[in-house]
Amino acid sequence: MSAVNVMSGKGIEGSLRRAKIFQQLTLYIPAAVLALLVLAAIFAPFLAPYSPTKTALGQRLIPPFFIEGGSTAHLLGTDTLGRDILSRVIFGARVSLSVSLLVILITSTIGTVLGIIAGYLGGRTGTVLMRVTDVSLAFPAILIAILLAVVLGPSFKTVVLAISILGWAPYARLIRGEALRLREADFVAQARIIGSSPLRIMVRHIFPNIINPLIVIATLSVGLVILTEAALSYLGAGIPPTTPSWGAMVYDGRSLIDTAWWISLFPGMAIGLVVLSGNFLGDWLRDKLDPRLRQL
Amino acid sequence: MSKIILQVEGLHTVFFTRQGVVKAVDGVSFYVREGETFGIVGESGCGKTVTGLSILRLLPEPAGRIVGGKIILDGKNLLELSKKEMREYRGSMISMILQDPMTSLNPVYTIGDQIAESVRLHQNLKDDAVEKEVISALRLLKIPAPEMRLHDYPFQMSGGMRQRVVGAIAMSCHPRLLIADEPTTALDATIQAQYIALFKDVQRQTNVAIVFITHDFGVVAQMCHRVGVMYAGKIVETATTRELFKAPRHPYTSALINSVPRLDRKDNRLYSIEGQPPSMTDLPRGCRFFPRCSVARDVCREQEPGEVDIGGEHSVSCWRVS
Amino acid sequence: MADVLLEGRDLTKHYPISHGLLQRTVGWVRAVDGVSFTIERGKTLSLVGESGAGKTTTAKAVLLLERLTSGSILFEGKDLQRFSKSQLKTEYRPRVQAVQQNPWSSMNPRMRVRDIIAEPLVVNTRQSKKEVRSRVLELLAQVGIGADCAGHYPHEFSGGQRQRIAVARALALNPSLVVLDEPVSALDVSIRAQIMNLLKDLQAQYNLSYLVIAHNLATVRYMSHSVAIMYMGQIVEYGDAEELFERPLHPYTRALMSASLLTLPGDEDQGIKQIILSGEMPSPLNPPTGCRFHTRCIEARDVCSKVEPELIVKGKQRVRCHHVVYRRP
């Protein structure tokens, strides 16, 4: 018997088809999940069975309906103040999704611009920019955030500003490395030979080629942003606690995790779903934007 | 004549890709004698590297698979060995030199350590015996002051010296067969000439059989005793080197030889083969070279030519010859 | 008097070697050390040498990708140092273009072929979209690529086709000089002849000058009118291609030629012997005293290690050697 396996043609066809189906599922399911969450956020007042802030002390800590003692009146149970978890998760999508989207837009833009400039132009400008980046990376972000909250007062804007103000630094570091590598690329030399200006080279030649790592780091930071927002709320530097957000809900349920685990679990699952869907969609977007992969 | 050490018969290797099944090596047969160098020359994508990897059974799995043929090394069919037996064969019976000396050495270990690792894997030796083997391997490749150089890191050496170290690793366990895939391509002209002369000398000393894979006809001429010319997954012509250059019989071989500029004469215009090699997922029905061949006939379009032995270790796959 | 397009006079490029915490300069690498050459209109000059010879740095200086330590480049008789920044941009850059060695890395993988070829026009001219498009199609036809391929991305082409696209891009601005950096060495053997023939045809058609960087002497002989052999930053032999290859005067030239000659098994019995140099090019940090080649030269004498030879005129050739003898390789 030969130790070399021969795979039949049919088996290959089948596995190629399965791969294709899997590939499509990893696009449609995450897209559907995110779309549902966004719709839920927009139409929260119509979808949520209760007001997210209405307390009912008589109905404290009701478990979800599938657990003994739960009821279909509160599908996902209630928290320590008797607020309906489902309603709070639906309303929480508003804060969590909009904060993360805004923060990622702001930080990735600043980080990309500074990273490309520092990497491509280099020299003194590059050194200064990178030292600023290093300082930003070393600075305790929470401290800045609390300081801002004290100065500006806790609000949605403060939260976005507080997370963004240092959040661009990891982007800048990563993008600078990529830009440094691309600066030596033959096609960049060619662009200089034909007389392209540095700005044109950065926009037309460097930027399109750093999209891959940019998407990876942006999708990975979704979860981080949501949790930072929660930490800020917890410290009283975030969005006022009456407004529900997923991160804050996870924090609220922390001390009761062994008895009333549903308080943390459901918003936690929502965060997980967003991060996971974001990663899948990021991969898809990356392939879509890369002409080398598009035809396959 | 010395004994045949490696006999490859009807080797078929395929790759399963998203575009379909690629028959990278499609029925390749050749043999190598002890102390002989057999060159496989061809253009990129013709399957020469895959042939080398198939002999070592180092194909990237699961995409690449050997689906037919025999690879008989010293009387044993390598395709019937278990994975574990094959691992023991690699390094001790067969070894390999890759193209790029920059990436085939690990930058964080001294060259002595890297050679010693290969020695220890295949021979059960004490430390001082290992060191002796390491030094003799370095000496075989004429690395000056081996006792001192073995403490060097790869970055402390030039490209040529590094490629000698790669050679020393490959030869450290006294293999019977060496597969060298473009080992001189990354080297400068004068260093390349040194390396080839060096390897001829190593071969004289050890009687190792070499399968030399390259795209460079000049290197083939200097290094190989016999040559197989590969095109689109098949060997189209095999002959002794001198005969191949002096009297090529396959139109592809003669076209290639004619299209290389010569230093010893002034060419006003180079002969050029029009077109590109065929896509490996969409091969022509008849002879694979037919679409680019200047002397093709009707039969070439319809049927693949078989291999014809024309005597004197010369065989050709072309309808004009049969 | 020959029609000189570009002249390099005493080009020198020294890189500082810095060391320690304060990045003190502890020495200089003399990558290019007093190199002079002329490129005539419609002709090809090849710079030949092994890695570290300084040929790429010289070419980069011509392309303004490297700033010279000293020396001057004259373009149509005018010193580039006298050019203002805007003159360089409008009067020099567009007329000196390049084709790089590796067609897999010389194009932005995210741009379509038509945009790649159009880029020089977009950057340097004010042609309308329509004019640009028709010029791109014209260029594609000239290098033998079908117009239907204009919308494709570089990865959809083979190496030979990509190199044709790179040639089309280099020709877009109707340059006078094209720097060809190892234009065929990354290509398959059967494709090389196609590209070399194409380059020769285009040269004849447009009276182009080429500055070729190469290590393969056979390629150089086919492509060039004159040749400069470089070793460790210096030109060791310079002259008309035919004479140089028929009568190589420098021992290094002979060794290089010997390494590139087709030698078959059995040739040795007929008295053809390859010259194999011992050792490798010394570290440029610490070049040998005297003749830089003496450490590897099979004909070296005492004087070679002490006195640095000048580039002397020998007939129509120039050679840097103390004891020029003619010997066929």
Side-chain angles (χ1 to χ4, degrees):
Chain A
M1 178 47 212
S2 159
V4 178
N5 299 324
V6 180
M7 206 178 199
S8 73
K10 250 194 187 137
I12 290 304
E13 297 283 302
S15 69
L16 282 181
R17 206 173 49 239
R18 277 195 298 279
K20 185 133 204 184
I21 292 171
F22 178 75
Q23 207 181 2
Q24 281 171 342
L25 285 185
T26 55
L27 165 63
Y28 293 129
I29 295 178
V33 167
L34 274 192
L36 271 179
L37 286 169
V38 169
L39 287 177
I42 295 169
F43 298 107
F46 307 102
L47 288 174
Y50 301 93
S51 155
T53 49
K54 196 189 112 208
T55 57
L57 292 177
Q59 293 178 322
R60 293 171 58 218
L61 298 177
I62 296 174
F65 74 96
F66 49 83
I67 301 289
E68 237 199 281
S71 89
T72 44
H74 297 282
L75 286 177
L76 301 183
T78 58
D79 65 6
T80 44
L81 298 173
R83 293 175 296 193
D84 181 50
I85 301 281
L86 176 62
S87 305
R88 287 179 66 76
V89 168
I90 291 173
F91 272 93
R94 294 186 148 188
V95 170
S96 298
L97 290 183
S98 51
V99 167
S100 48
L101 192 70
L102 264 177
V103 166
I104 286 171
L105 269 179
I106 296 171
T107 50
S108 59
T109 308
I110 299 176
T112 303
V113 170
L114 295 184
I116 290 180
I117 292 175
Y120 182 70
L121 294 184
R124 201 159 294 171
T125 327
T127 313
V128 170
L129 281 176
M130 275 307 109
R131 289 296 90 79
V132 173
T133 309
D134 289 343
V135 170
S136 305
L137 280 170
F139 221 84
I142 291 289
L143 206 66
I144 290 275
I146 293 172
L147 203 72
L148 270 176
V150 170
V151 176
L152 300 174
S155 75
F156 181 81
K157 267 187 247 165
T158 314
V159 168
V160 172
L161 191 66
I163 307 177
S164 303
I165 203 159
L166 296 174
W168 55 270
Y171 287 90
R173 257 264 168 253
L174 178 95
I175 298 300
R176 172 182 167 268
E178 289 293 303
L180 265 179
R181 189 176 58 78
L182 286 167
R183 182 169 69 166
E184 304 303 324
D186 285 348
F187 63 82
V188 171
Q190 194 67 42
R192 289 169 66 196
I193 290 166
I194 63 165
S196 302
S197 66
L199 180 66
R200 186 182 168 88
I201 291 174
M202 289 190 273
V203 173
R204 291 274 291 178
H205 297 290
I206 308 269
F207 176 67
N209 285 290
I210 53 156
I211 286 177
N212 286 358
L214 184 62
I215 289 174
V216 171
I217 185 171
T219 48
L220 283 177
S221 60
V222 174
L224 197 70
V225 172
I226 293 179
L227 290 176
T228 312
E229 180 267 323
L232 291 182
S233 306
Y234 183 72
L235 291 168
I239 294 156
T242 47
T243 318
S245 83
W246 293 341
M249 290 170 75
V250 172
Y251 265 94
D252 283 347
R254 240 176 0 124
S255 53
L256 295 169
I257 196 77
D258 48 346
T259 52
W261 44 265
W262 55 87
I263 301 177
S264 296
L265 179 72
F266 293 111
M269 277 173 63
I271 297 175
L273 270 180
V274 170
V275 173
L276 206 60
S277 309
N279 284 345
F280 276 118
L281 283 185
D283 283 352
W284 169 81
L285 188 66
R286 188 192 62 203
D287 293 353
K288 201 75 194 157
L289 290 174
D290 193 332
R292 281 161 297 192
L293 295 169
R294 208 179 293 162
Q295 279 80 14
L296 297 181
Chain B
M1 236 174 230
S2 18
K3 173 180 134 195
I4 289 175
I5 179 91
L6 174 79
Q7 175 111 35
V8 176
E9 281 172 33
L11 178 70
H12 285 78
T13 303
V14 300
F15 279 84
F16 300 106
T17 68
R18 289 199 199 182
Q19 286 92 353
V21 178
V22 174
K23 292 179 182 169
V25 177
D26 199 16
V28 159
S29 306
F30 63 90
Y31 58 87
V32 193
R33 294 199 176 86
E34 280 183 331
E36 184 190 48
T37 303
F38 180 75
I40 300 181
V41 63
E43 303 179 73
S44 54
C46 73
K48 57 189 193 295
T49 296
V50 178
T51 304
L53 292 174
S54 299
I55 296 169
L56 283 151
R57 285 188 41 201
L58 279 177
L59 293 166
E61 296 201 24
R65 261 167 216 272
I66 298 168
V67 294
K70 287 182 189 160
I71 299 171
I72 297 160
L73 179 69
D74 203 20
K76 257 221 158 84
N77 186 352
L78 297 183
L79 299 183
E80 284 168 0
L81 297 179
S82 71
K83 283 198 169 159
K84 187 163 171 282
E85 288 170 311
M86 191 62 216
R87 266 203 300 276
E88 278 160 18
Y89 256 61
R90 257 180 246 136
S92 60
M93 279 290 282
I94 329 172
S95 58
M96 187 164 196
I97 298 179
L98 298 171
Q99 175 173 352
D100 191 352
M102 302 295 173
T103 51
S104 43
L105 292 175
N106 188 331
V108 301
Y109 295 107
T110 63
I111 60 158
D113 284 345
Q114 298 189 52
I115 301 170
E117 187 194 356
S118 145
V119 172
R120 281 202 192 91
L121 267 177
H122 299 284
Q123 300 170 56
N124 201 359
L125 293 175
K126 292 213 171 90
D127 279 358
D128 49 340
V130 169
E131 182 161 326
K132 232 179 234 153
E133 285 284 320
V134 170
I135 289 172
S136 85
L138 289 171
R139 212 164 262 149
L140 181 66
L141 272 290
K142 299 211 175 77
I143 293 168
E147 293 84 355
M148 281 156 70
R149 294 316 285 269
L150 73 107
H151 302 294
D152 281 3
Y153 286 91
F155 75 89
Q156 292 167 296
M157 312 186 106
S158 67
M161 276 301 151
R162 257 183 272 193
Q163 197 62 319
R164 289 189 191 201
V165 172
V166 173
I169 294 175
M171 295 306 297
S172 64
C173 295
H174 317 290
R176 309 277 301 276
L177 173 70
L178 178 69
I179 303 200
D181 190 355
E182 306 263 10
T184 60
T185 306
L187 305 176
D188 276 320
T190 60
I191 305 298
Q192 183 170 312
Q194 271 178 13
Y195 199 74
I196 289 170
L198 177 72
F199 245 90
K200 282 179 164 169
D201 199 45
V202 167
Q203 188 172 45
R204 267 192 292 275
Q205 288 181 45
T206 60
N207 211 29
V208 67
I210 301 177
V211 174
F212 200 95
I213 298 167
T214 182
H215 70 279
D216 188 332
F217 269 89
V219 173
V220 164
Q222 286 169 22
M223 183 73 203
C224 303
H225 301 93
R226 288 187 307 118
V227 189
V229 179
M230 226 173 148
Y231 187 77
K234 278 199 143 78
I235 289 186
V236 295
E237 180 162 11
T238 312
T240 58
T241 305
R242 201 168 171 88
E243 170 127 344
L244 190 91
F245 279 91
K246 296 284 180 193
R249 297 296 299 273
H250 197 283
Y252 177 62
T253 315
S254 47
L256 271 187
I257 291 170
N258 281 331
S259 71
V260 177
R262 293 281 293 265
L263 183 59
D264 49 6
R265 61 160 191 251
K266 172 78 187 169
D267 296 293
N268 280 318
R269 193 157 185 88
L270 288 177
Y271 178 81
S272 92
I273 311 174
E274 291 312 313
Q276 318 272 340
S279 151
M280 293 303 282
T281 51
D282 184 25
L283 290 168
R285 186 150 50 116
C287 172
R288 288 160 195 219
F289 187 59
F290 156 74
R292 301 174 78 188
C293 185
S294 55
V295 292
R297 308 177 192 162
D298 286 346
V299 62
C300 307
R301 183 204 303 271
E302 298 303 329
Q303 263 183 296
E304 262 198 278
E307 189 173 340
V308 180
D309 191 338
I310 58 172
E313 296 199 278
H314 194 160
S315 57
V316 191
S317 306
C318 177
W319 285 116
R320 286 194 325 156
V321 176
S322 56
Chain C
M1 181 65 205
D3 185 5
V4 173
L5 176 73
L6 186 135
E7 185 179 352
R9 276 195 197 153
D10 218 9
L11 304 186
T12 302
K13 175 72 192 182
H14 292 177
Y15 292 103
I17 306 152
S18 26
H19 187 79
L21 204 58
L22 297 172
Q23 294 291 296
R24 253 176 334 117
T25 300
V26 292
W28 298 87
V29 173
R30 296 195 274 171
V32 178
D33 205 8
V35 166
S36 303
F37 56 86
T38 55
I39 305 171
E40 289 168 34
R41 208 179 289 277
K43 297 286 165 66
T44 301
L45 167 70
S46 290
L47 300 178
V48 184
E50 302 178 88
S51 44
K55 55 193 198 301
T56 302
T57 310
T58 307
K60 279 186 167 176
V62 170
L63 288 167
L64 305 181
L65 294 176
E66 246 350 308
R67 207 178 278 273
L68 287 167
T69 309
S70 69
S72 48
I73 295 174
L74 279 71
F75 187 66
E76 291 179 332
K78 283 173 288 185
D79 191 336
L80 287 193
Q81 282 159 2
R82 301 251 170 87
F83 279 58
S84 71
K85 227 179 174 174
S86 71
Q87 272 176 314
L88 279 179
K89 192 169 158 42
T90 54
E91 289 168 34
Y92 182 73
R93 270 240 147 96
R95 300 192 51 198
V96 180
Q97 292 294 299
V99 175
Q100 289 174 312
Q101 172 174 16
N102 188 344
W104 276 270
S105 60
S106 68
M107 287 167 210
N108 187 338
R110 300 201 176 229
M111 279 167 81
R112 289 174 198 276
V113 162
R114 58 162 173 264
D115 298 323
I116 289 171
I117 298 176
E119 199 173 20
L121 301 166
V122 173
V123 170
N124 290 290
T125 68
R126 295 204 175 158
Q127 292 177 9
S128 71
K129 275 207 171 125
K130 214 172 139 195
E131 287 169 307
V132 168
R133 195 178 312 143
S134 72
R135 175 79 178 131
V136 166
L137 293 180
E138 185 185 302
L139 286 161
L140 279 175
Q142 228 151 32
V143 297
I145 300 272
D148 50 321
C149 296
H152 291 195
Y153 286 94
H155 70 93
E156 295 171 69
F157 295 90
S158 68
Q161 289 172 313
R162 282 171 171 234
Q163 205 62 319
R164 287 171 188 267
I165 294 165
V167 170
R169 167 173 62 184
L171 294 184
L173 295 168
N174 288 317
S176 305
L177 172 67
V178 181
V179 176
L180 305 169
D181 183 3
E182 302 271 10
V184 298
S185 70
L187 304 178
D188 269 320
V189 182
S190 79
I191 307 297
R192 287 182 186 178
Q194 290 177 12
I195 300 294
M196 283 192 269
N197 286 340
L198 172 73
L199 288 168
K200 278 191 124 181
D201 291 344
L202 291 167
Q203 176 165 50
Q205 198 178 343
Y206 297 107
N207 200 27
L208 287 169
S209 300
Y210 289 147
L211 174 61
V212 176
I213 308 293
H215 69 278
N216 183 322
L217 284 180
T219 305
V220 166
R221 174 157 195 182
Y222 179 62
M223 294 287 296
S224 330
H225 299 94
S226 44
V227 176
I229 310 279
M230 292 184 72
Y231 188 78
M232 291 195 80
Q234 294 177 329
I235 290 179
V236 294
E237 185 162 3
Y238 183 25
D240 176 78
E242 276 325 291
E243 295 195 25
L244 190 140
F245 286 125
E246 288 302 322
R247 272 170 55 93
L249 296 177
H250 198 281
Y252 180 62
T253 312
R254 285 197 285 271
L256 268 185
M257 285 181 70
S258 172
S260 324
L261 273 174
L262 193 66
T263 45
L264 292 171
D267 276 356
E268 278 165 39
D269 313 335
Q270 295 169 17
I272 302 168
K273 188 126 176 66
Q274 235 194 340
I275 305 170
I276 293 175
L277 292 178
S278 62
E280 305 187 0
M281 194 185 278
S283 160
L285 290 175
N286 199 0
T289 54
C291 173
R292 292 188 186 185
F293 184 61
H294 85 263
T295 54
R296 301 173 73 195
C297 184
I298 41 178
E299 294 163 32
R301 301 172 199 171
D302 282 353
V303 61
C304 301
S305 59
K306 291 176 189 131
V307 184
E308 189 167 356
E310 294 291 315
L311 201 60
I312 51 168
V313 178
K314 240 344 183 228
K316 282 187 184 168
Q317 271 150 275
R318 274 179 281 171
V319 59
R320 193 185 291 275
C321 182
H322 283 304
H323 39 275
V324 176
V325 282
Y326 166 67
R327 199 173 297 138
R328 252 200 92 75

